[in-house]
Amino acid sequence: MRMEECLVGSDTFPTQLFLLIHTLKARRFFFLDGIFTDHQGDHKAGTYLLNPEGFEHAPSSKDGCLIFVRLRQYPGLGRPQLALPSLPISHDSDNFSDWVKVENVSKGEIYRKYLFNHPEQWPDSSYLERWTAGTEQGQVVCPKDGREILVISGDWSDELGTHSNYSWIRLPSSFQHSPFSKSGCILFIKDNHLPFAVPLNE
């Protein structure tokens, strides 16, 4: 499924300032373009925000911005508020020195950067992956509680087709596929979170 067909594509707040209170199950933000501002400062492309239940801020954007927003998938009191600084979101960037190489890749290289990963407290995790051109991962079995993937840059393909910039894919429990990337890509991935996706009528 492509992002424009699914929940939340982008938000723009040109020259606006207002109070926003996060209540039900909170929000996750990943910034794709432009600058988004609140009391913590300016958030540029590649920044990741996790705002828990009850978190308040007054967001604005002077020139507008493009944001990938996931609603009601960061539930539970006691979750931390996180604002991770700008990370490289172009697969052509050279700034990947602290990313960890993924093992057991059939061909090419995959590097991973965790954004949220606390398995001792919460089962869900979020991370970025960089795939080099020509990478073939081999057969992959998705986690038991599902996986979502946003293609940030480049191309990423599997048996379902080729997914380009801003394509959004939701994969169910234990789904099997063999993904690859011809030109390389950057992916934003969330695992084991689908039980937290609260129905919109609640």
Side-chain angles (χ1 to χ4, degrees):
M1 301 175 71
R2 296 191 181 277
M3 190 173 72
E4 61 267 25
E5 298 170 348
C6 306
L7 176 65
V8 184
S10 65
D11 286 329
T12 56
F13 304 109
T15 64
Q16 294 184 19
L17 181 66
F18 56 91
L19 178 65
L20 180 63
I21 303 176
H22 296 294
T23 53
L24 179 62
K25 304 303 180 186
R27 298 184 180 185
R28 302 172 185 244
F29 298 80
F30 193 86
F31 296 91
L32 301 169
D33 191 29
I35 298 177
F36 175 93
T37 302
D38 64 8
H39 67 281
Q40 300 176 98
D42 291 335
H43 307 295
K44 301 178 181 179
T47 299
Y48 188 49
L49 292 185
L50 296 175
N51 292 343
E53 296 182 45
F55 178 79
E56 299 180 13
H57 68 163
S60 65
S61 181
K62 180 179 179 181
D63 299 314
C65 55
L66 181 65
I67 312 169
F68 181 63
V69 184
R70 300 302 290 123
L71 305 175
R72 309 201 283 186
Q73 291 188 9
Y74 192 55
L77 298 177
R79 293 254 186 174
Q81 194 282 328
L82 297 178
L84 302 182
S86 182
L87 296 159
I89 58 173
S90 171
H91 59 284
D92 296 323
S93 172
D94 295 326
N95 187 24
F96 297 97
S97 59
D98 61 340
W99 294 42
V100 177
K101 188 175 182 180
V102 176
E103 301 296 331
N104 300 318
V105 175
S106 295
K107 179 182 177 181
E109 296 179 332
I110 299 175
Y111 296 89
R112 181 175 295 172
K113 174 74 173 181
Y114 274 100
L115 306 174
F116 183 84
N117 186 42
H118 300 279
E120 71 285 354
Q121 294 176 280
W122 299 290
D124 52 311
S125 62
S126 302
Y127 52 94
L128 296 177
E129 283 190 347
R130 180 208 182 193
W131 293 42
T132 59
T135 291
E136 299 175 6
Q137 192 172 16
Q139 189 176 65
V140 177
V141 180
C142 291
K144 66 180 183 65
D145 286 328
R147 170 172 289 165
E148 289 182 343
I149 299 171
L150 173 69
V151 181
I152 296 176
S153 69
D155 66 82
W156 184 83
S157 303
D158 64 0
E159 292 85 346
L160 300 176
T162 296
H163 317 288
S164 56
N165 286 19
Y166 304 157
S167 292
W168 179 68
I169 305 100
R170 172 176 282 185
L171 303 174
S173 172
S174 302
F175 180 81
Q176 298 184 32
H177 62 158
S178 299
F180 61 94
S181 178
K182 291 182 178 179
S183 64
C185 61
I186 295 288
L187 307 176
F188 171 75
I189 302 174
K190 293 170 73 259
D191 285 344
N192 286 318
H193 65 289
L194 293 184
F196 300 143
V198 179
L200 293 177
N201 60 358
E202 290 191 12

